[in-house]
Amino acid sequence: MDFQAHFSARLGALKDEGNYRIFADITRRRGAFPTAGCEGVGDVTVWCSNDYLGMSQHPQVVGAMIEAVEACGTGAGGTRNISGNTMHHLALEAELADLHGKEGALLFTSGYVSNWASLSTLGSQIPNVAIFSDEKNHASMIEGIRHSRADKVLWRHNDWRDLDRKLHAAGDRPKLVAFESVYSMDGDIAPLREIVEVCEAHGALSYIDEVHAVGMYGPRGGGVSEELGLAHRIDLIEGTLGKAFGVVGGYVTGSAALCDFIRSFASGFIFTTALPPAVAAAAKASIMHLKGSASERRLQRARVAELRAKLDRAGIPHMPNDSHIIPVMIGDPVKCRMISDILMRDHGIYVQPINYPTVPKGTERLRITPGPLHGSAEIDHLVNALSQLWAHCALSRAVA
């Protein structure tokens, strides 16, 4: 087989379909967010970051990382079973357990790894378990379930009645229900209360991914489960340190036995180098700040409401939801890429196109995430630029 020809042909097909991914060369500057430098363009305003609250720029977070680097150096030195725990890892896990009202927490190197390792471990180590997965769960959850080789049952997205029927049909075998709180591409929020009640009725282990919700919802940033007063009724809460908390890493929280079980059997934890102590210190500082400060969340929600209202007045179609994620629908991969390029080149606006396979074909979009550091003038500039491009590309406008 001519491997290089195969690689080139597949890449060429991606480009012809408009689904080839081009990464922008972005230089983030401390204290300037959401402004960043872009190679060949100059300064741009970033509208698609998952640094939802700008906490990567917060002086306390930056200071905690610098202080820990100066005290501990840059790396952890290996896996925790070889190099041991540091005070920073243990302190962060205690902070995360407290955030979600759980007995324990366990750190991973990313949210992807925490989902993959935890679900693959639970699925492979609980005898005869069936995993019931929302059909729109993240790729990390899908991969973890697949790797576990446990029986998988898909239930219709956010349809707790369908989940109830399928759990009932499974009989008395062990059951695990995996779902998200905020779904990252559509921005919809799951009916948590109903899902939790269904899990309890069937004795199923409940597993929620709060990656796009931690830091953003609840009086202390514990996610949608905290906002609804349901965290104590969910067995495992998974989250990330790399989005609203502004650092990097993933974690799970739950009972002491559950966290120790995953720690003891998950290859994705056992054989992976631990997070650098400085990262753990910065994450702890971010979580502690957001536990006591609601101002970032309030301002972020105000910016979301302002942008949605102005998009409506301009007739720019965006998917309705109750979250902080605003999907502006385009429905064509080539136009989606073109609009993104023109926004960057001519208007100094960076918003990455979202195409297949991240979203289904025909639902291509710009995924916009306003934050507390965006201003009204920047929102007006974005809406005016989109309005010009809507006319230029002959796209349909929303009807008020």
Side-chain angles (χ1 to χ4, degrees):
M1 180 177 185
D2 186 339
F3 293 106
Q4 304 309 314
H6 174 73
F7 301 151
S8 297
R10 291 295 302 276
L11 290 170
L14 271 182
K15 293 175 181 177
D16 291 342
E17 294 166 0
N19 290 323
Y20 181 73
R21 297 171 189 243
I22 300 170
F23 300 153
D25 296 328
I26 295 291
T27 301
R28 289 163 63 90
R29 295 192 296 268
R30 175 180 158 191
F33 188 77
T35 301
C38 180
E39 187 68 26
V41 177
D43 282 354
V44 297
T45 302
V46 179
W47 282 99
C48 54
S49 175
N50 286 340
D51 185 6
Y52 292 134
L53 301 176
M55 290 302 294
S56 69
Q57 312 289 306
H58 195 283
Q60 291 178 16
V61 179
V62 174
M65 180 174 282
I66 291 172
E67 182 180 349
V69 166
E70 290 177 340
C72 303
T74 57
T79 65
R80 287 169 71 178
N81 63 303
I82 290 176
S83 295
N85 289 316
T86 70
M87 54 175 271
H88 296 295
H89 294 114
L90 295 174
L92 175 55
E93 285 176 341
E95 199 69 44
L96 288 164
D98 175 77
L99 175 67
H100 295 293
K102 300 297 184 186
E103 293 178 339
L106 188 66
L107 287 172
F108 291 87
T109 51
S110 72
Y112 191 104
V113 174
S114 58
N115 266 334
W116 179 88
S118 299
L119 283 167
S120 64
T121 299
L122 294 170
S124 63
Q125 297 295 326
I126 299 175
N128 196 37
V129 70
I131 300 180
F132 294 76
S133 177
D134 185 289
E135 64 183 357
K136 287 193 176 182
N137 275 342
H138 189 264
S140 58
M141 303 174 80
I142 295 168
E143 288 294 332
I145 296 167
R146 180 183 294 128
H147 188 261
S148 77
R149 299 188 178 180
D151 289 342
K152 180 180 75 171
V153 180
L154 289 179
W155 46 287
R156 286 197 296 270
H157 179 53
N158 283 343
D159 187 342
W160 58 270
R161 293 181 179 85
D162 186 49
L163 172 64
D164 185 39
R165 288 190 292 269
K166 288 175 176 174
L167 285 169
H168 178 75
D172 294 332
R173 67 186 300 185
K175 309 171 188 69
L176 185 157
V177 176
F179 57 102
E180 302 180 40
S181 58
V182 178
Y183 286 82
S184 62
M185 289 300 116
D186 291 351
D188 54 328
I189 297 177
L192 261 60
R193 188 173 303 279
E194 292 83 354
I195 292 172
V196 169
E197 289 174 352
V198 167
C199 289
E200 291 173 341
H202 293 277
L205 192 76
S206 49
Y207 182 117
I208 188 171
D209 174 321
E210 288 257 42
V211 160
H212 291 274
V214 290
M216 304 293 293
Y217 301 89
R220 302 194 310 158
V224 178
S225 57
E226 184 196 28
E227 185 160 295
L228 297 178
L230 296 170
H232 66 290
R233 295 170 63 182
I234 298 174
D235 295 299
L236 186 151
I237 299 175
E238 184 267 351
T240 186
L241 306 170
K243 293 182 171 57
F245 293 132
V247 194
V248 67
Y251 65 88
V252 295
T253 65
S255 70
L258 175 56
C259 292
D260 197 18
F261 183 83
I262 295 171
R263 182 191 71 88
S264 299
F265 290 101
S267 62
F269 175 83
I270 295 169
F271 298 106
T272 300
T273 297
L275 288 172
V279 169
K284 178 176 179 285
S286 182
I287 294 164
M288 289 181 65
H289 174 81
L290 289 173
K291 279 181 178 179
S293 173
S295 61
E296 291 86 358
R297 288 187 284 275
R298 282 197 300 267
L299 186 53
Q300 193 272 344
R301 292 186 185 191
R303 296 304 187 215
V304 169
E306 181 181 356
L307 177 55
R308 284 191 182 278
K310 290 177 177 178
L311 288 171
D312 286 340
R313 286 199 289 272
I316 305 299
H318 56 97
M319 189 177 290
N321 60 54
D322 294 323
S323 79
H324 56 283
I325 295 166
I326 303 179
V328 172
M329 307 306 292
I330 294 173
D332 179 277
V334 175
K335 287 184 178 180
C336 196
R337 174 81 259 176
M338 180 179 68
I339 288 173
S340 174
D341 289 344
I342 295 173
L343 285 171
M344 176 85 87
R345 185 191 68 220
D346 296 347
H347 300 278
I349 291 169
Y350 174 47
V351 54
Q352 187 74 351
I354 306 294
N355 293 345
Y356 178 84
T358 306
V359 296
K361 291 180 179 179
T363 68
E364 293 81 8
R365 66 197 66 181
L366 302 175
R367 177 184 176 274
I368 300 175
T369 53
L373 301 179
H374 290 104
S376 293
E378 291 162 320
I379 291 174
D380 289 339
H381 180 57
L382 171 64
V383 173
N384 290 335
L386 285 172
S387 188
Q388 292 176 35
L389 286 172
W390 238 249
H392 177 74
C393 296
L395 294 168
S396 298
R397 293 189 184 258
V399 178

